[in-house]
Amino acid sequence: MNHFDLEDGGLACESVSLDAIAEAVGTPVYVYSSATLERHYLVLRDALVNAGLGDPMIAFAVKACSNVAVLKTLSRLGCGADVVSEGEIRRALAAGIPGARIVFSGVGKTAAEIEFALSTGVAEINVESEPEMDRIAEVAARLGRRATIAIRVNPDVGAGGHAKISTGKADSKFGVSFSEAARLYAKASNSAWLDPIGLAYHIGSQITDLAPMEAACLKMRGLVESLRDEGLSVRRLDLGGGLGAPYFDQPDPPGVEAYAAMIARVMAGLEVQFAFEPGRVICANAGILLARVIHVHRRPEGRNFLVLDAAMNDLIRPAMYEAFHDIRPVAPRPGAPEVYDVVGPVCESGDTFARERRLPPLEAGDLVAFMTAGAYGAAMASEYNTRPLAPEVLVRGDKFALVRPRPSYESILAAERNAPWL
Ligand SMILES: *Cc1c(COP(=O)(O)O)cnc(C)c1O
């Protein structure tokens, strides 16, 4: 469920018309609904708690939507942060998320990033390889601060909506194998500078089927038990993110209740604290990308190109993952639907949001909304073609705030320097 609905004949976010936002801020622009963000977080948390999973640590995957105002909206409800870089740790801290609610993931953490993470007292650093674990121990020793770590296990389970977002197969770069995990866990337990708190996994993104998750959960349970049989202490199990959000062309993903019930069943009696790293399921349907039609190019041979002022640099998912986004006119016109290729102005054929999409008739100047654009939308945007990053607007009830303004061309150019020989 989300809070983007038709109101008085036009699409609105909560009680603010998208037309008013486009007038005030210009297009393209990302628009987020506070009510949807909050609802998705609370529904997930309640489902986990009601399934009997204790007091779970929920760390929002910052990379999915990293605007500080969005993070603050979630942080106020007690949500933590799953981060993959020093920059994301800084964002989480800026949003008021304390180190104790931050999980640091990622396959290539530098010594400087590890030092920063330890100095902020992060709850857990997820170790993805032995050289990384050794580096964490070295940095911890240098700082005189013990590092709380979890070993990220690669459960060799394929899952996720697209090959580029599947992370849990044995040949992917993420995590270590089961046998390696046991060896590293024992090694960490013997280190004065490492406190292995548990295990972590994250098998992919946009998972719409519980079966691979259940297979991974069963394997993780087995590993916890075998580590305990060796006398090792395992106190936390981080089950990653990956739960799919409903996109319009895809089968509905399992609901959070079914997800929580599956985990409760597989993990029954296993005494651990559970941690989760949800990204997309919280923010995908809480955001849209609002764009304006520049013109309709009607080829005499029959193809209609709907040319928008948003492009692949603003929303790269269709180009990168063949992702489908529902496209809705903000003020639908009456008339027979037409078939459009929906494209942006960037000089690449890949700058195509949709081919042969049936939409209500559209004309130059009309506004359209790309639905389900709150995850991996603004966060993956670039200034390719020297197009300024799309601004971000956060709505709450009948109010909205510009939470990242559109950069000026002057500021884009001012960031660059001349070489002394030019
Ligand atoms: C990307 C990522 C997530 C979030 O994935 P979603 O599919 O957005 O839920 C969680 N944990 C890790 C380690 C990630 O890399």
Side-chain angles (χ1 to χ4, degrees):
M1 194 209 134
N2 62 62
H3 297 78
F4 294 93
D5 289 308
L6 281 176
E7 209 172 75
D8 304 328
L11 202 56
C13 175
E14 303 189 26
S15 304
V16 179
S17 87
L18 294 181
D19 193 54
I21 292 175
E23 279 306 314
V25 180
T27 52
V29 54
Y30 277 94
V31 181
Y32 307 117
S33 156
S34 301
T36 310
L37 287 167
E38 289 172 352
R39 179 173 188 281
H40 288 174
Y41 169 75
L42 293 172
V43 164
L44 174 65
R45 192 197 62 188
D46 289 354
L48 297 170
V49 170
N50 293 339
L53 295 173
D55 182 19
M57 177 163 134
I58 301 180
F60 174 66
V62 170
K63 75 176 192 285
C65 187
S66 36
N67 186 285
V68 172
V70 167
L71 301 180
K72 254 187 195 165
T73 302
L74 294 169
S75 160
R76 291 206 310 186
L77 304 175
C79 187
D82 172 59
V83 300
V84 292
S85 67
E86 177 171 338
E88 287 191 353
I89 299 177
R90 289 179 182 270
R91 281 185 179 277
L93 295 172
I97 301 174
R101 285 199 261 131
I102 296 177
V103 175
F104 190 13
S105 303
V107 294
K109 305 174 194 80
T110 65
E113 287 179 308
I114 293 164
E115 180 167 341
F116 186 74
L118 289 176
S119 71
T120 61
V122 298
E124 168 184 314
I125 301 181
N126 287 349
V127 170
E128 303 235 7
S129 63
E130 186 166 21
E132 180 170 86
M133 193 170 96
D134 294 343
R135 182 172 308 117
I136 294 170
E138 266 167 44
V139 175
R142 181 154 48 78
L143 297 183
R145 267 185 114 120
R146 216 156 161 237
T148 305
I149 61 161
I151 308 286
R152 175 159 175 187
V153 186
N154 185 324
D156 195 14
V157 169
H162 189 275
K164 286 183 188 160
I165 53 174
S166 176
T167 55
K169 289 292 285 178
D171 62 0
S172 90
K173 68 177 177 178
F174 300 97
V176 301
S177 68
F178 273 78
S179 55
E180 275 290 279
R183 185 177 69 77
L184 293 186
Y185 209 92
K187 180 174 165 183
S189 302
N190 287 324
S191 159
W193 296 107
L194 299 175
D195 175 20
I197 194 169
L199 301 169
Y201 80 47
H202 170 72
I203 56 176
S205 198
Q206 190 52 24
I207 302 172
T208 53
D209 176 6
L210 283 182
M213 290 192 157
E214 177 158 356
C217 278
L218 269 169
K219 287 186 166 185
M220 294 300 280
R221 179 182 180 124
L223 183 56
V224 172
E225 287 169 340
S226 75
L227 291 176
R228 284 180 174 166
D229 286 346
E230 289 172 40
L232 298 166
S233 146
V234 185
R235 288 160 285 155
R236 191 182 288 154
L237 200 47
D238 176 345
L239 301 181
L243 193 59
Y247 286 79
F248 291 78
D249 67 325
Q250 290 184 17
D252 262 357
V256 289
E257 286 82 10
Y259 173 66
M262 178 278 286
I263 295 166
R265 178 163 44 77
V266 174
M267 301 296 179
L270 192 72
E271 296 213 339
V272 286
Q273 184 195 20
F274 291 98
F276 296 89
E277 304 167 351
R280 193 187 305 268
V281 74
I282 289 182
C283 62
N285 282 303
I288 59 137
L289 173 63
L290 184 60
R292 209 179 273 284
V293 177
I294 297 179
H295 49 242
V296 186
H297 175 182
R298 294 179 199 280
R299 286 240 177 96
E301 308 80 54
R303 259 191 135 74
N304 294 333
F305 290 93
L306 189 69
V307 184
L308 304 180
D309 64 1
M312 65 189 291
N313 70 297
D314 303 304
L315 178 65
I316 204 168
R317 300 188 66 255
M320 190 139 130
Y321 310 121
E322 286 96 41
F324 179 101
H325 286 270
D326 188 28
I327 299 170
R328 295 177 64 181
V330 168
R333 294 173 183 278
E338 289 195 87
V339 176
Y340 297 101
D341 281 6
V342 184
V343 302
V346 160
C347 300
E348 300 240 4
S349 302
D351 187 20
T352 298
F353 292 114
R355 285 206 183 277
E356 301 188 352
R357 184 73 66 88
R358 266 177 94 77
L359 295 172
L362 285 154
E363 291 177 16
D366 287 358
L367 290 169
V368 295
F370 286 89
M371 308 307 290
T372 322
Y376 308 103
M380 291 180 89
S382 76
E383 287 183 342
Y384 186 41
N385 278 213
T386 310
R387 294 169 45 83
L389 289 178
E392 295 175 284
V393 163
L394 182 65
V395 172
R396 171 168 218 101
D398 59 2
K399 297 187 192 57
F400 70 91
L402 182 59
V403 293
R404 184 170 72 187
R406 192 186 312 277
S408 66
Y409 290 110
E410 290 73 21
S411 70
I412 292 174
L413 290 174
E416 293 174 28
R417 296 287 175 271
N418 204 1
W421 59 85
L422 291 177

